[in-house]
Amino acid sequence: MKIQLLLWAVTIFLNLNLTAAPLSGERDSVINDGPYFFLAADTLKAIWIENSMLRESYFLPDRASEIVLPAGQSTSYRELKKTFKTNPKYRQSYKRIDSIAIISDVHGYYDNYLKQLLSNGIIDKDLNWKFGKGHFVFLGDGFDRGDEVTEILWHLFKLEKQAARAGGAVHLLLGNHEQMVLYGDLRYIHEKYRKVEAITGTGYSNLYSGASLLGMWLRLKPVMITINDILFVHAGVSPQLIQKGLKIKYVNQLFAERITGREVDFPTGNEELDLLSGNGGPLWYRGYFNDTTLTVNQVDSILDFYDVHRIIVGHTPHKDITILFDNKVTGIDAGMGYGQPGYMIIYKEGRFYKGSLPGVRTGLFEQSE
Ligand code: ZN
């Protein structure tokens, strides 16, 4: 009797699971994604996925029609076309900026990213720029792991234009996951994007090729910038980089011209390219957190070389904001890519704060200038 009851209970449990499975499976299998734009002569071709169906449309210069983007945003032919004509700025150094906000390693978690920006006063509830003349730094790794990468990129694309009009700025810096997708390493893409590949008949990296609008836009982005006395870089600057004397402008130029979006067999034999693309390079280096031989003197010489007082990096996840080497190195990746709420860093009038998801600000340290 006991065994019969137990079997009965097991059968009920299995049935419940079986009836629940197709429902959630059905919901998950509906794909919405895009748009992705491609330029051929003067025609912009848009493809997107709506309810798992591939849709396409063509935009011509003479048509002033509004182009709809995710989350109720819109753009125009003119705004999109401009991206293809923009020249990259390799040296980016900004001084006397009163407000800075930094986020990193969002990894496709669009909702969390928006909540952070909303709680910390970067955007309003309609997702528009609210940070005035402030500078917002997106410190790389928007790609991979989560399933709303496209939404994040389009939001940054729009925000960048709105910020510039307000006298502020959005700085999207490249992380190793941007580099990976752009050169075809798709190990970490969410399974949704495998379905996107199947529906569009296009490899995921080709959606971000140099002929695609988002691909072109990403290829214009830097790896290193400075704001006030802070150096921003996705993973970090290793002592080897300054031993080679690699200045910011040169590093950004090498990435744009030789590394980003290029399928290269490493090692190439070119010492600079191999250093920049490898584990000691600015997109992969983890030495601040795991090299026990690294000294504060070495960190000082890195800061001196780039004429800054501190470095802010993402890439290496921790439970919290991590401050090392006498406040000179700050790691901001607090695991958003692993489903954690994460943190932002807010700089306002000489002080650094930790900004949390509920919008609570905690003081970190003061500007050393
Ligand atoms: Zn990274």
Side-chain angles (χ1 to χ4, degrees), residues 30-34 47-55 199:
V30 174
I31 305 286
N32 291 294
D33 188 38
I47 60 168
W48 70 99
I49 300 171
E50 209 175 305
N51 294 325
S52 304
M53 299 283 286
L54 181 64
R55 311 285 296 270
I199 295 169

Side-chain angles (χ1 to χ4, degrees), residues 5-21:
L5 263 180
L6 190 66
L7 276 176
W8 183 75
V10 169
T11 318
I12 292 279
F13 177 74
L14 282 175
N15 279 343
L16 281 174
N17 270 346
L18 284 174
T19 47

Side-chain angles (χ1 to χ4, degrees), residues 170-190:
V170 170
H171 305 286
L172 164 54
L173 273 72
L174 297 174
N176 57 311
H177 284 269
E178 276 74 35
Q179 295 287 342
M180 287 163 86
V181 166
L182 294 179
Y183 71 63
D185 184 342
L186 304 179
R187 270 176 293 167
Y188 299 101
I189 66 170
H190 189 277

Side-chain angles (χ1 to χ4, degrees), residues 53 84 106 119 127 148 225 311 344:
M53 299 283 286
F84 288 97
V106 171
S119 305
L127 316 184
E148 290 187 290
I225 67 167
I311 304 178
M344 293 187 69

Side-chain angles (χ1 to χ4, degrees), residues 213-230:
L213 183 117
L214 288 175
M216 182 69 217
W217 178 65
L218 287 167
R219 281 165 174 75
L220 297 168
K221 299 304 176 197
V223 165
M224 294 163 75
I225 67 167
T226 65
I227 304 177
N228 298 345
D229 68 340
I230 314 159

Side-chain angles (χ1 to χ4, degrees), residues 77-366:
Y77 176 92
R78 224 166 147 201
E79 192 170 73
L80 295 179
K81 183 77 189 293
K82 232 177 165 178
T83 306
F84 288 97
K85 289 195 244 160
T86 308
N87 289 318
K89 269 202 292 185
Y90 297 128
R91 170 146 177 74
Q92 293 196 40
S93 180
Y94 307 87
K95 295 278 182 202
R96 291 177 292 281
I97 306 302
D98 289 336
S99 305
I100 310 168
I102 311 118
I103 199 167
S104 89
D105 298 82
V106 171
H107 282 298
Y109 286 86
Y110 181 54
D111 284 349
N112 204 359
Y113 154 88
L114 288 181
K115 279 183 203 156
Q116 286 283 3
L117 265 56
L118 197 61
S119 305
N120 288 292
I122 316 305
I123 57 171
D124 64 21
K125 61 177 177 21
D126 297 320
L127 316 184
N128 295 315
W129 181 255
K130 196 188 142 184
F131 201 42
K133 292 186 178 358
H135 282 222
F136 168 52
V137 181
F138 185 96
L139 208 43
D141 281 6
F143 276 95
D144 289 338
R145 307 199 201 284
D147 66 355
E148 290 187 290
V149 172
T150 326
E151 288 80 355
I152 291 170
L153 294 175
W154 279 120
H155 185 256
L156 286 167
F157 183 88
K158 279 303 291 180
L159 206 61
E160 181 185 75
K161 277 66 181 164
Q162 292 178 345
R165 282 196 291 272
V170 170
H171 305 286
L172 164 54
L173 273 72
L174 297 174
N176 57 311
H177 284 269
E178 276 74 35
Q179 295 287 342
M180 287 163 86
V181 166
L182 294 179
Y183 71 63
D185 184 342
L186 304 179
R187 270 176 293 167
Y188 299 101
I189 66 170
H190 189 277
E191 64 176 88
K192 170 186 166 183
Y193 295 111
R194 300 284 176 204
K195 293 173 187 161
V196 167
E197 287 186 309
I199 295 169
T200 59
T202 309
Y204 191 59
S205 293
N206 287 333
L207 295 171
Y208 294 97
S209 72
S212 95
L213 183 117
L214 288 175
M216 182 69 217
W217 178 65
L218 287 167
R219 281 165 174 75
L220 297 168
K221 299 304 176 197
V223 165
M224 294 163 75
I225 67 167
T226 65
I227 304 177
N228 298 345
D229 68 340
I230 314 159
L231 171 66
F232 292 94
V233 53
H234 175 66
V237 171
S238 61
Q240 294 95 297
L241 227 69
I242 59 160
Q243 274 158 26
K244 288 247 175 290
L246 303 182
K247 292 281 188 188
I248 291 177
K249 183 181 173 189
Y250 184 65
V251 169
N252 285 332
Q253 190 167 359
L254 273 186
F255 266 93
E257 293 176 356
R258 308 282 300 274
I259 301 171
T260 305
R262 284 165 181 81
E263 283 184 54
V264 187
D265 278 330
F266 290 104
T268 61
N270 176 317
E271 272 184 50
E272 287 177 352
L273 287 183
D274 289 345
L275 174 62
L276 288 173
S277 337
N279 287 338
L283 303 187
W284 288 96
Y285 180 63
R286 296 190 199 274
Y288 303 145
F289 307 100
N290 69 8
D291 180 358
T292 50
T293 67
L294 190 72
T295 64
V296 77
N297 282 346
Q298 281 177 299
V299 171
D300 280 335
S301 42
I302 294 167
L303 298 175
D304 289 346
F305 183 76
Y306 293 115
D307 196 19
V308 292
H309 289 132
R310 64 184 82 253
I311 304 178
I312 298 185
V313 301
H315 185 60
T316 303
H318 292 89
K319 283 206 179 85
D320 203 343
I321 302 275
T322 308
I323 302 164
L324 299 164
F325 299 99
D326 305 335
N327 296 346
K328 289 166 186 168
V329 173
T330 304
I332 186 185
D333 181 359
M336 285 178 78
Y338 299 91
Q340 296 303 308
Y343 295 105
M344 293 187 69
I345 289 182
I346 312 291
Y347 168 83
K348 206 137 199 149
E349 291 151 3
R351 282 195 68 80
F352 289 83
Y353 300 89
K354 175 167 85 172
S356 70
L357 202 60
V360 177
R361 276 189 191 175
T362 320
L364 289 174
F365 46 79
E366 285 183 30

